[in-house]
Amino acid sequence: MTITQVRPIAAQKMHMADFTHPIWGWFILASTLISIAALLLFALKNAGAKKKKGEAAKSMGHLWDEDLHELNNPLPRWWLYLFYLTLFWGALYLLLYPGLGIFAGYLGWSQEQQYAEEIQQANVRYGPIYAQYADTPVTALIQDEQAVLIGKRLFATYCTTCHGSDARGARGYPNLRDDDWSWGGMPEHIIASITHGRQGIMPPWGDVLGEQGVFDVAEYVRTLGGLSADTQVAARGKALYHQYCQVCHGIDGRGDQAIGAPNLADDIWLYGGSQKKIMEVIALGKSGNMPAHKEFLGEAKIHLLATYLYSLSAAEAAAE
């Protein structure tokens, strides 16, 4: 489990130009043009006939597999013309589209521009569908099967990479189907997490506690989660816990959603509940980042996405 703090992260875009020297643009330009020119010269050099009309083909002196000779026959014209066409097509493409390093192409096309245009078209087409649910509270919207289905599709598109297709997460990625929420599981909390992102930080305590101290605190934390532990060791760990850990996780280990400090008093472990894993987190610390999606998704999509997530935890709670 980790100690976390609220620190919204602004979305950042990184391009090749941010971490490469401009000289590489010139290198790509020069190497590409030289390659095309070399291929053209090679084709022209080998285009002419290497034997006179009516003259029998002669060996070029190259022999393979004892009896396979390279003869001085000219290149087939259809192959040669196709090769010229390929070089012409490649040169034309590089004039129109980016591919020559610093040269952006005469058409001015870019993947960012195309993406923005496609997003704009999608917003015009699908925006009204999302907007019609924007004024309905999430607590009421979970009763609307169509709204929940749209939220589920949004989750499948944008969230499954980290949280899994079933929203049960993985090691280091929270399970979104239970009621264990580090930052709060009410609709407004879920919307805030998606909108602004979350930054979780558990500082390393290995140097402060020492190897024995880390072991002792891990034993006590295991007792908070209902796991078996050495009672004498856990008693020593309890004293250290109250000295160093309770300020974030609380005196009873139930955490603090205001700062994202996880609940240690249940049997839900983000990084694993074995003694080894708990000791690793305490000694080395952990850092987790939930990126902000405000600019990427917009309020209407986030509202529907939060509806789907809230429906999962509500259904899980009802089942229990």
Side-chain angles (χ1 to χ4, degrees):
M1 307 296 280
T2 60
I3 302 172
T4 51
Q5 300 173 339
V6 179
R7 191 168 64 185
I9 302 298
Q12 297 179 354
K13 293 178 65 178
M14 180 168 288
H15 303 277
M16 288 292 290
D18 293 330
F19 54 91
T20 58
H21 195 279
I23 194 174
W24 290 110
W26 289 100
F27 173 79
I28 294 172
L29 174 65
S31 60
T32 303
L33 293 178
I34 290 173
S35 297
I36 293 175
L39 289 171
L40 180 60
L41 290 174
F42 175 80
L44 292 173
K45 181 180 178 181
N46 291 276
K50 295 184 179 180
K51 65 176 184 177
K52 297 180 180 180
K53 186 175 181 180
E55 183 183 15
K58 297 180 181 179
S59 175
M60 299 292 291
H62 301 147
L63 179 66
W64 295 272
D65 294 336
E66 298 182 356
D67 60 352
L68 184 60
H69 294 267
E70 179 186 0
L71 304 180
N72 64 340
N73 290 316
L75 293 172
R77 289 297 170 183
W78 68 268
W79 186 95
L80 192 61
Y81 294 149
L82 183 61
F83 189 75
Y84 288 148
L85 180 62
T86 303
L87 291 177
F88 173 77
W89 173 257
L92 178 62
Y93 179 90
L94 293 173
L95 285 174
L96 298 177
Y97 294 94
L100 288 176
I102 60 172
F103 181 63
Y106 284 114
L107 294 183
W109 177 91
S110 70
Q111 59 183 4
E112 291 87 356
Q113 178 185 350
Q114 180 175 332
Y115 174 77
E117 292 174 353
E118 292 176 356
I119 289 295
Q120 184 177 7
Q121 294 172 4
N123 288 337
V124 171
R125 181 175 181 180
Y126 301 109
I129 299 176
Y130 303 131
Q132 65 181 317
Y133 300 104
D135 295 330
T136 305
V138 170
T139 51
L141 205 55
I142 62 174
Q143 306 301 325
D144 189 321
E145 293 183 2
Q146 185 64 27
V148 174
L149 180 59
I150 294 175
K152 181 178 181 179
R153 289 171 177 169
L154 289 171
F155 179 88
T157 302
Y158 300 112
C159 311
T160 55
T161 301
C162 293
H163 294 284
S165 58
D166 59 356
R168 295 191 183 277
R171 180 163 291 174
Y173 299 94
N175 180 357
L176 303 178
R177 302 187 74 100
D178 57 23
D179 60 352
D180 187 70
W181 298 85
S182 294
W183 302 92
M186 297 303 294
E188 60 270 22
H189 301 144
I190 300 174
I191 290 175
S193 294
I194 300 172
T195 301
H196 303 297
R198 302 291 188 183
Q199 180 72 19
I201 299 175
M202 164 72 177
W205 291 95
D207 292 340
V208 176
L209 297 174
E211 185 176 349
Q212 184 61 50
V214 169
F215 179 80
D216 294 348
V217 172
E219 283 291 277
Y220 176 66
V221 170
R222 283 174 59 82
T223 65
L224 291 175
L227 302 176
S228 60
D230 187 303
T231 55
Q232 292 183 346
V233 175
R236 296 197 304 266
K238 181 178 181 180
L240 293 172
Y241 174 90
H242 288 307
Q243 182 177 355
Y244 296 107
C245 311
Q246 75 169 24
V247 65
C248 290
H249 291 285
I251 191 171
D252 56 359
R254 296 191 179 276
D256 185 351
Q257 292 182 348
I259 62 172
N263 182 1
L264 304 178
D266 54 20
D267 194 20
I268 300 174
W269 306 91
L270 185 58
Y271 294 101
S274 67
Q275 185 182 62
K276 179 181 178 181
K277 290 298 180 182
I278 296 175
M279 289 179 63
E280 179 182 301
V281 172
I282 296 172
L284 303 178
K286 289 290 184 180
S287 178
N289 177 34
M290 162 70 181
H293 286 74
K294 180 179 180 179
E295 301 298 329
F296 182 65
L297 293 179
E299 294 181 1
K301 290 182 182 179
I302 291 175
H303 190 73
L304 287 165
L305 186 53
T307 298
Y308 171 65
L309 296 177
Y310 186 68
S311 72
L312 294 179
S313 59
E316 191 83 3
E320 291 179 356

